Amino acid sequence: AAAGLCRYRALLARRGGALRALCGSVRGLAAGPETHFGFQTVTEEERREKIYRVFESVAKKYDVMNDSMTLGIHRVWKDILVHKMNPSPGTLLLDVAGGTGDIAFRFINYVRSVRERQLQRKLRHHQNLSWQEIAESYQEDKSKSLGDSQVVVCDINKEMLKVGKQKAQHLGYSEGLSWVLGNAEELPFDDDKFDVYTIAFGIRNVTRIDLALQEAYRVLKPGGRFLCLEFSQVSNSLLSRLYDLYSFQVIPVLGEVIAGDWKSYQYLVESIRRFPPQEEFKAMIEDAGFFKVDYQNLNSGIVAIHSGFKL
């Protein structure tokens, strides 16, 4: 009888363990698939909330911290991105996760410069015009300094957009610029709408990169271009060690001193290490449907510019 009782208890224990495991699985499913937040394992929903709070926290000091963390080199990287884009008057750009306006303002400056050169060439070819005709033609074309170009800045974070709008007002940018609150994984735009899609230092903060890439493909016109500037994998072993030392020992300290926020900058450093290396990310872009996908390493791969076309 005692042996039978023991077997009965063992059976109950096994069934109880199985039930607890099943309940745990159900709870896990209810919480959503697991992903990472820096080096932490979290659910996708937790990650979205945490990242939103990170950028809400750092928005006001975002530009100052970018200058401090990269010694100002991020400005050069963004210049290279826009030169690689080489937009012409009439280009319709969507800049995703571009809340503070860095890419948008460069785009506007670049198009204005192209437009100005076009206008000068046009006037040089009309030497027989009177002074009054030249002045009228110049003023008419000058009033359309972007030549129907438009840039739409889309960001999921209200605080980042707020900072960007304040910068635009302070710097005098208004023509051809609009701001939209939206999620990179579910963009609030029609299909086949934009000539160029850019995302600079934003895609590693997207929870589902595959969905963001699919959305980029969807909203681009046939012939449209995808351009992504992102921290990547350093190819030089010595530089890689120095970069790791600087990233983990210095950047969080700068975050605490300048922005009063150690944790957010610790996350940003960790998120760079979790982002797919160049070849892996290239394959993801191709999986989303893009053609002629390539990348350009800058500073030995500290950052890379990925490019692809919707054909």
Side-chain angles (χ1 to χ4, degrees):
L5 183 60
C6 287
R7 282 195 299 273
Y8 179 68
R9 285 176 176 169
L11 180 62
L12 281 178
R14 282 198 299 273
R15 287 183 174 174
L19 184 61
R20 283 192 296 274
L22 178 61
C23 289
S25 299
V26 170
R27 282 195 298 272
L29 287 171
E34 286 189 341
T35 183
H36 57 82
F37 175 78
F39 293 159
Q40 300 176 40
T41 299
V42 295
T43 66
E44 288 184 355
E45 189 56 39
E46 286 173 335
R47 175 184 161 89
R48 289 187 182 95
E49 291 173 3
K50 284 176 177 288
I51 289 175
Y52 191 93
R53 288 199 295 269
V54 163
F55 285 93
E56 193 174 46
S57 171
V58 305
K60 290 180 180 177
K61 296 289 185 179
Y62 187 74
D63 291 332
V64 176
M65 275 302 300
N66 277 347
D67 282 334
S68 302
M69 288 189 301
T70 68
L71 307 178
I73 300 173
H74 75 101
R75 296 174 181 268
V76 177
W77 295 333
K78 291 166 182 172
D79 287 341
I80 292 171
L81 176 71
V82 174
H83 277 82
K84 192 175 182 74
M85 185 197 313
N86 190 24
S88 57
T91 299
L92 184 56
L93 168 66
L94 173 63
D95 183 38
V96 176
T100 58
D102 276 6
I103 302 302
F105 303 153
R106 281 169 170 78
F107 169 83
I108 290 171
N109 291 342
Y110 193 97
V111 172
R112 279 178 178 168
S113 177
V114 171
R115 182 77 172 149
E116 181 70 24
R117 289 196 299 271
Q118 288 178 346
L119 176 56
Q120 288 174 358
R121 283 197 299 270
K122 176 183 173 182
L123 293 177
R124 276 199 298 269
H125 284 92
H126 292 82
Q127 296 292 336
N128 58 338
L129 292 178
S130 69
W131 170 84
Q132 186 175 3
E133 287 171 326
I134 289 174
E136 287 174 356
S137 176
Y138 185 82
Q139 289 303 321
E140 182 183 344
D141 287 338
K142 190 72 175 175
S143 67
K144 298 178 181 178
S145 63
L146 291 178
D148 297 323
S149 290
Q150 293 277 334
V151 52
V152 178
V153 179
C154 180
D155 201 295
I156 198 171
N157 194 286
K158 292 178 182 177
E159 285 302 311
M160 295 290 280
L161 284 173
K162 182 180 176 182
V163 170
K165 289 177 184 177
Q166 289 170 347
K167 279 175 63 180
Q169 187 175 15
H170 176 71
L171 297 171
Y173 293 101
S174 58
E175 181 194 1
L177 175 63
S178 56
W179 307 83
V180 175
L181 187 68
N183 184 348
E185 300 169 49
E186 195 175 353
L187 292 170
F189 306 108
D190 294 336
D191 297 356
D192 307 328
K193 183 175 177 66
F194 297 95
D195 299 302
V196 184
Y197 171 114
T198 53
I199 183 165
F201 304 119
I203 203 159
R204 76 179 189 281
N205 298 309
V206 171
T207 299
R208 289 283 304 277
I209 294 174
D210 58 333
L211 293 183
L213 292 172
Q214 289 167 23
E215 280 292 272
Y217 187 88
R218 180 183 66 79
V219 301
L220 279 169
K221 298 174 183 176
R225 190 176 192 183
F226 168 85
L227 284 167
C228 173
L229 173 64
E230 189 53 86
F231 289 106
S232 203
Q233 190 172 80
V234 180
S235 55
N236 181 292
S237 58
L238 176 59
L239 179 59
S240 180
R241 288 195 292 272
L242 292 172
Y243 179 51
D244 280 346
L245 185 67
Y246 175 75
S247 297
F248 288 99
Q249 301 300 322
V250 177
I251 288 178
V253 176
L254 286 174
E256 180 64 32
V257 172
I258 296 173
D261 192 340
W262 178 294
K263 288 184 178 179
S264 291
Y265 287 93
Q266 180 71 29
Y267 155 73
L268 292 174
V269 169
E270 292 175 359
S271 70
I272 293 169
R273 300 312 185 277
R274 297 300 299 259
F275 189 71
Q278 288 89 323
E279 285 293 329
E280 188 179 332
F281 186 49
K282 177 186 175 184
M284 294 176 73
I285 297 170
E286 289 171 335
D287 288 344
F290 289 99
F291 290 86
K292 291 181 65 66
V293 178
D294 62 14
Y295 60 87
Q296 175 187 356
N297 282 332
L298 305 178
N299 297 97
S300 297
I302 289 178
V303 299
I305 298 175
H306 282 79
S307 170
F309 293 86
K310 177 178 177 177
L311 301 180

